[in-house]
Amino acid sequence: PYATRVPILVEVNKAGWQPLTLAPSTNPDVWIERFGAGDTVYLTLFNPTDKPQPAVVTLDNRLGVSAKDPAVDMTTGAEMPSDNITVDLQPEDIKIIRLHARP
């Protein structure tokens, strides 16, 4: 579904890459990058390995994300609590998570 991901990638890239993720993972084999700051923040999670990788991502308070606002997996539309972002990534799989931060 490459064509369905192009609008998502455009939206994420417009937000701008940030040098600090402020979102550590329980699994060092899952790579995380952050895009955006302020009202909307995106996290890209990637499994570069040839084995499935689970991970739990914890958000740093400096992101300003409210636990009452859900995180959204932009690739599936599924919502999850922003204070408990849990993913299971297949080999070379990516998840893009959108977070709404406090203004």
Side-chain angles (χ1 to χ4, degrees):
Y2 178 77
T4 60
R5 291 192 182 192
V6 170
I8 295 170
L9 296 173
V10 169
E11 180 180 337
V12 170
N13 280 316
K14 282 184 179 179
W17 179 82
Q18 300 295 315
L20 297 176
T21 63
L22 300 177
S25 165
T26 56
N27 186 338
D29 288 328
V30 172
W31 299 352
I32 301 177
E33 289 189 292
R34 176 172 64 105
F35 294 79
D39 293 341
T40 304
V41 174
Y42 303 88
L43 298 175
T44 60
L45 293 84
F46 177 64
N47 173 9
T49 74
D50 61 356
K51 295 183 177 140
Q53 299 292 336
V56 176
V57 178
T58 305
L59 304 179
D60 188 297
N61 288 335
R62 293 175 286 173
L63 277 176
V65 174
S66 171
K68 69 181 178 182
D69 295 322
V72 177
D73 178 342
M74 294 182 71
T75 55
T76 66
E79 292 186 358
M80 63 192 83
S82 60
D83 60 347
N84 185 22
I85 298 173
T86 303
V87 297
D88 288 304
L89 294 168
Q90 294 304 310
E92 300 202 4
D93 192 15
I94 188 170
K95 293 278 185 195
I96 301 171
I97 307 295
R98 180 177 55 218
L99 305 162
H100 293 284
R102 290 187 292 264

